[in-house]
Amino acid sequence: MLKKKFFIGVMGLALGCSLVLAPAEVDAKKKQKPEEPESRTLVLTANGNLTGSVVPYYDKEEIPGFETGYIDLHYRSFDTGFVDGDNSYLTIELPQEFAAVAKQPTFKENISGRVQRKGLLGDRWFTYSENDITVNGTRIAFKTPKEFWLLHGEVNADISINYGNVQKLYPIRLIQGNQNGYVFRSALRRSMAPWDPIQEPLIGSNSDTMMTNYTSAYWDF
């Protein structure tokens, strides 16, 4: 009888320990198993469009009431899919003929613009600051505030480059001519995480090209 009670007591203690230890073991396994990051961004379709105009610089004398030597660019994108908190970067590739003027110290301060981010965070316009703009050779990168949208989102940017203010400081012409016109290229890329399923849009592109009718950045008359 004593042995029977002892056996029952030992079994009850073992069962109680197993019930206590089992959840602990499960929790330990959960902690040891690394959590897989969830997919955040997926752009299904993309459509980028770049338009603009160039007003050549008149370097003989100033024309009263008329400013010369600037570039106006307008970029529009329309994407579908979803984006969760990514920054986007709009890059404008200037024609190679603008390489000399782009490397001058005062070039960046003569770039201005604004950007509109459309999505679940609202349709807001932001003015670019110098911290949002990076110049690397003939490539200019503009940082867009974080995007958050579902189904469709838009990024619209208006950019002005006053190369005339830079050219005024030099007696020689910094920009070469091109008999075929000047070519500007644009692209929009997002700071997507490594675990995002697709790094590029499935259909379409946020890149676009614009060619001007002007073959010279200067007026000769």
Side-chain angles (χ1 to χ4, degrees), residues 145-206:
K146 291 184 180 296
E147 295 179 73
F148 182 72
W149 50 264
L150 181 65
L151 298 182
H152 77 271
E154 295 181 46
V155 173
N156 303 317
D158 298 325
I159 297 164
S160 180
I161 303 173
N162 193 334
Y163 70 86
N165 279 344
V166 182
Q167 179 62 72
K168 288 176 185 178
L169 303 176
Y170 300 90
I172 62 172
R173 293 183 173 185
L174 298 176
I175 305 172
Q176 301 175 5
N178 187 325
Q179 61 181 358
N180 296 318
Y182 295 115
V183 178
F184 295 81
R185 293 181 172 85
S186 63
L188 183 73
R189 294 180 175 85
R190 294 182 171 84
S191 56
M192 301 176 73
W195 56 80
D196 287 328
I198 304 294
Q199 297 295 312
E200 298 290 340
L202 290 177
I203 301 174
S205 172
N206 278 317

Side-chain angles (χ1 to χ4, degrees), residues 4 13 52-53 57 71 83 108 123 167 174 186 219:
K4 185 176 181 181
L13 180 62
S53 60
Y57 179 63
I71 302 165
V83 170
K108 182 177 176 179
D123 302 347
Q167 179 62 72
L174 298 176
S186 63
W219 256 323

Side-chain angles (χ1 to χ4, degrees), residues 47-53 71-78 88-92 111-118 123-129 132-133 140-145 147 153-161 185-190 206 208 210:
N47 183 11
N49 179 253
L50 180 67
T51 60
S53 60
I71 302 165
D72 278 336
L73 298 173
H74 308 285
Y75 176 83
R76 302 288 181 264
S77 76
F78 185 93
S88 60
Y89 296 84
L90 171 63
T91 59
I92 300 295
I111 302 173
S112 61
R114 62 177 188 162
V115 61
Q116 183 187 40
R117 175 205 63 201
K118 287 190 175 185
D123 302 347
R124 294 183 56 191
W125 283 98
F126 300 86
T127 300
Y128 287 123
S129 69
D132 300 323
I133 303 172
I140 310 172
F142 301 85
K143 183 179 180 180
T144 304
E147 295 179 73
E154 295 181 46
V155 173
N156 303 317
D158 298 325
I159 297 164
S160 180
I161 303 173
R185 293 181 172 85
S186 63
L188 183 73
R189 294 180 175 85
R190 294 182 171 84
N206 278 317
D208 197 22
M210 181 192 81

